[in-house]
Amino acid sequence: MPTRRYFDQELDQLRARVLELGQLVKTELHEALRALEELDKELAKEVIASDQAVNELRFTIEDDCFKLIATQQPAASDLRTIIAVINIIVDLEQIGDKAKDIAEAISQVKRYQKVEQPSALKAMGELVASMLDQCLQAYAEGDIELAKQAASREAEVDQMLETVVSNVIEHMAKAKKEKKVTASMGILGVAQQLERIGDLVTNVVERVIYIATGSVEELNVEP
Amino acid sequence: MATKMTQPKIQVQDFNFFYDEFHALIDLNLAIQQNEITALIGPSGCGKSTFLRAINRMNDTISGTRAEGVIKLDGEDIYAPDVDVVELRQRVGMVFQRPNPFPQSIYDNVAFGPRVLGMVHNGNLPQMVEESLTDAGLWDEVKDRLKDSALGLNPGQQQRLCIARTVAVKPEVILMDEPCSALDPVATLRVEELMRKLAETYTIVIVTHNMQQAARVSDRTGFFWLGKLVEFDETGTIFTSPREALTEAYITGRRG
């Protein structure tokens, strides 16, 4: 008979809750990007409102972790799992915050309807969203290689940010209306949030690796 | 935690131990560092207590036992033919699972060792008793009733009295065989605090079934399984990222 069936069930439940949080954040990001593309202020409002559920679930999971530490005296991989979860949920919540920031920027972008969203911005959003999907799948399956694949795309995100910045500067230089400049500033802000989401996904990947190996491997460090 | 790796206080090399035909300890190799607390963990019957008793040759008193290999104390093999076992046990003292004070006064319990070993000179015994009781964290609680029977102390105090009795003969190493298993949680924590203090002066090796105790109190931990030392490392490493899957399974409570 397994000696720690209750504890194993609790750990399974903890993983399920982290994935639930991941799913909420993923939806928040996808919807924020859709709202941006369609300049849909109503959808943006829904995204902003949905962030509250992300925050609440994060604190519920944190509380679960504290209870498990206090009552089960976890060690080795059990302890690493719980400590990693405490960190992962913070990163996921911050990704949710960034998605909310993107949704909030939509009214700014919409101030000048004709402003052209750089194609790199859309590509950047799709890339970052797919990195998050891949990272969550890697966490669910404990797949280090898949996790590393997700993090390895961060450099592409950085390059896309540079492209978006140049495009935006170009637009701003040509802009004759203040509204157009404001909208361009909004786009720039969105691109920066997406770049930051890429960093946060990499943090989660580092924790997925830590759970499996016990060593902290800092990924994508600038030389 | 002491991190420098100087000459170990105790060096174990290819050590094997037998109870008649039963091979109880198999090819042990490890180094126990001076002024550190080394914890030995593992399931019942894994050999950890046998190994502890091998360090001061307490197993010699059991007929049919046989040791092979080397255990060096400060570089000298304690199993060499010319070793004085009484002197060895004075250098390597032991505290047992259940407090076992003699049915004498508190004072006489502590004075027993120095008297028997001829360590009393020029009226220094009262000072030795006070120092030992102070080292054991018991002086303030008993200084006004030194002539009372030791059997009147509570279990936690009795165990600290046994520690005072052990340190009274000025050992270099203290072996502790599940010293807190008969104590309540508060008395246990007092003994653990005391161990930290004692480690400033002595080298301590403790056998414990309480893994949290090993994690709390020791610098290094050795995990025994079926007579073998499966893993020996810094305690922080053993309890967060053990190298061996068997260690992981044991300390997470999934095998034992």
Side-chain angles (χ1 to χ4, degrees), chain B residues 187-208:
Chain B
T188 295
L189 290 174
R190 289 202 67 164
V191 171
E192 288 178 10
E193 284 299 305
L194 176 60
M195 286 171 68
R196 280 275 168 214
K197 185 91 181 76
L198 291 171
E200 292 170 10
T201 311
Y202 311 97
T203 301
I204 296 177
V205 186
I206 175 176
V207 161
T208 177

Side-chain angles (χ1 to χ4, degrees), chain B residues 85-158:
Chain B
V85 176
V86 173
E87 188 197 320
L88 171 70
R89 290 180 193 148
Q90 182 258 311
R91 292 176 68 194
V92 184
M94 194 154 196
V95 176
F96 296 90
Q97 190 171 357
R98 298 199 77 80
N100 55 352
F102 303 137
Q104 298 173 338
S105 70
I106 294 165
Y107 185 95
D108 286 337
N109 261 273
V110 183
F112 181 86
R115 281 174 178 147
V116 168
L117 292 169
M119 296 166 72
V120 183
H121 307 288
N122 307 321
N124 64 343
L125 189 56
Q127 192 190 339
M128 289 174 84
V129 170
E130 179 177 341
E131 281 173 4
S132 302
L133 286 166
T134 303
D135 280 353
L138 193 58
W139 174 251
D140 287 340
E141 292 165 60
V142 301
K143 63 185 177 190
D144 299 323
R145 49 176 175 143
L146 293 172
K147 294 208 165 115
D148 289 3
S149 168
L151 302 179
L153 297 172
N154 67 40
Q157 290 172 323
Q158 286 187 8

Side-chain angles (χ1 to χ4, degrees), chain A:
Chain A
M1 185 183 132
T3 47
R4 301 206 76 182
R5 195 159 53 185
Y6 169 78
F7 184 40
D8 286 338
Q9 281 169 356
E10 293 285 306
L11 289 174
D12 286 344
Q13 202 177 339
L14 187 66
R15 186 168 54 245
R17 284 200 150 167
V18 173
L19 289 170
E20 188 190 339
L21 179 67
Q23 190 58 46
L24 285 181
V25 171
K26 199 167 117 176
T27 305
E28 192 179 349
L29 178 61
H30 281 280
E31 294 295 84
L33 292 171
R34 189 160 70 87
L36 176 70
E37 194 182 351
E38 296 169 6
L39 292 179
D40 183 340
K41 280 172 94 170
E42 285 309 308
L43 183 56
K45 273 186 196 166
E46 286 174 28
V47 170
I48 291 163
S50 72
D51 194 51
Q52 181 64 23
V54 169
N55 294 348
E56 283 172 9
L57 184 54
R58 171 248 160 123
F59 284 110
T60 303
I61 297 172
E62 191 175 279
D63 194 42
D64 290 344
C65 290
F66 292 153
K67 281 179 187 149
L68 284 176
I69 290 170
T71 59
Q72 299 296 320
Q73 286 90 43
S77 61
D78 296 335
L79 181 62
R80 295 204 303 272
T81 297
I82 296 170
I83 297 298
V85 164
I86 291 172
N87 285 282
I88 287 170
I89 58 175
V90 172
D91 290 329
L92 288 177
E93 192 223 318
Q94 285 188 13
I95 293 173
D97 289 343
K98 302 295 165 204
K100 183 180 157 197
D101 290 344
I102 291 170
E104 283 172 346
I106 287 167
S107 57
Q108 192 183 354
V109 176
K110 209 178 172 179
R111 286 189 67 185
Y112 188 74
Q113 287 283 3
K114 281 185 265 176
V115 75
E116 195 185 327
Q117 291 187 32
S119 60
L121 184 70
K122 185 166 189 282
M124 201 176 169
E126 284 167 0
L127 177 57
V128 164
S130 79
M131 282 170 69
L132 177 62
D133 293 354
Q134 217 173 11
C135 167
L136 290 170
Q137 192 189 338
Y139 169 74
E141 295 167 11
D143 186 337
I144 298 179
E145 288 313 311
L146 187 62
K148 283 184 176 172
Q149 270 178 37
S152 69
R153 306 182 74 187
E154 201 193 333
E156 284 176 62
V157 176
D158 293 345
Q159 277 176 357
M160 287 175 179
L161 175 65
E162 282 178 28
T163 308
V164 172
V165 169
S166 333
N167 287 349
V168 168
I169 290 172
E170 212 174 296
H171 274 91
M172 284 164 85
K174 289 182 196 161
K176 291 182 181 140
K177 294 181 179 169
E178 192 191 323
K179 277 183 183 175
K180 196 171 178 182
V181 174
T182 307
S184 295
M185 293 282 284
I187 287 171
L188 195 58
V190 167
Q192 283 168 333
Q193 303 298 358
L194 290 172
E195 189 270 340
R196 182 68 189 123
I197 290 173
D199 292 343
L200 292 164
V201 169
T202 301
N203 288 352
V204 176
V205 165
E206 286 170 357
R207 294 294 165 182
V208 171
I209 295 169
Y210 172 71
I211 291 172
T213 65
S215 58
V216 178
E217 196 175 324
E218 208 173 340
L219 301 168
N220 304 338
V221 179
E222 298 279 332

Side-chain angles (χ1 to χ4, degrees), chain B residues 12-153:
Chain B
V12 182
Q13 294 167 334
D14 301 324
F15 189 75
N16 287 271
F17 193 83
F18 302 83
Y19 292 105
D20 292 315
E21 296 305 308
F22 178 63
H23 198 166
L25 296 175
I26 304 163
D27 295 332
L28 301 186
N29 284 283
L30 71 151
I32 293 170
Q33 304 298 325
Q34 183 150 357
N35 297 115
E36 283 196 356
I37 301 174
T38 299
L40 309 177
I41 60 170
S44 297
C46 68
K48 57 192 187 300
S49 289
T50 297
F51 173 60
L52 192 78
R53 291 196 304 269
I55 300 173
N56 70 349
R57 292 183 56 176
M58 286 285 281
N59 293 322
D60 289 13
T61 58
I62 305 168
S63 67
T65 57
R66 179 163 54 92
E68 288 175 5
V70 174
I71 297 182
K72 287 179 180 170
L73 178 66
D74 287 335
E76 304 279 328
D77 183 8
I78 64 166
Y79 281 88
D82 58 341
V83 167
D84 179 342
V85 176
V86 173
E87 188 197 320
L88 171 70
R89 290 180 193 148
Q90 182 258 311
R91 292 176 68 194
V92 184
M94 194 154 196
V95 176
F96 296 90
Q97 190 171 357
R98 298 199 77 80
N100 55 352
F102 303 137
Q104 298 173 338
S105 70
I106 294 165
Y107 185 95
D108 286 337
N109 261 273
V110 183
F112 181 86
R115 281 174 178 147
V116 168
L117 292 169
M119 296 166 72
V120 183
H121 307 288
N122 307 321
N124 64 343
L125 189 56
Q127 192 190 339
M128 289 174 84
V129 170
E130 179 177 341
E131 281 173 4
S132 302
L133 286 166
T134 303
D135 280 353
L138 193 58
W139 174 251
D140 287 340
E141 292 165 60
V142 301
K143 63 185 177 190
D144 299 323
R145 49 176 175 143
L146 293 172
K147 294 208 165 115
D148 289 3
S149 168
L151 302 179
L153 297 172

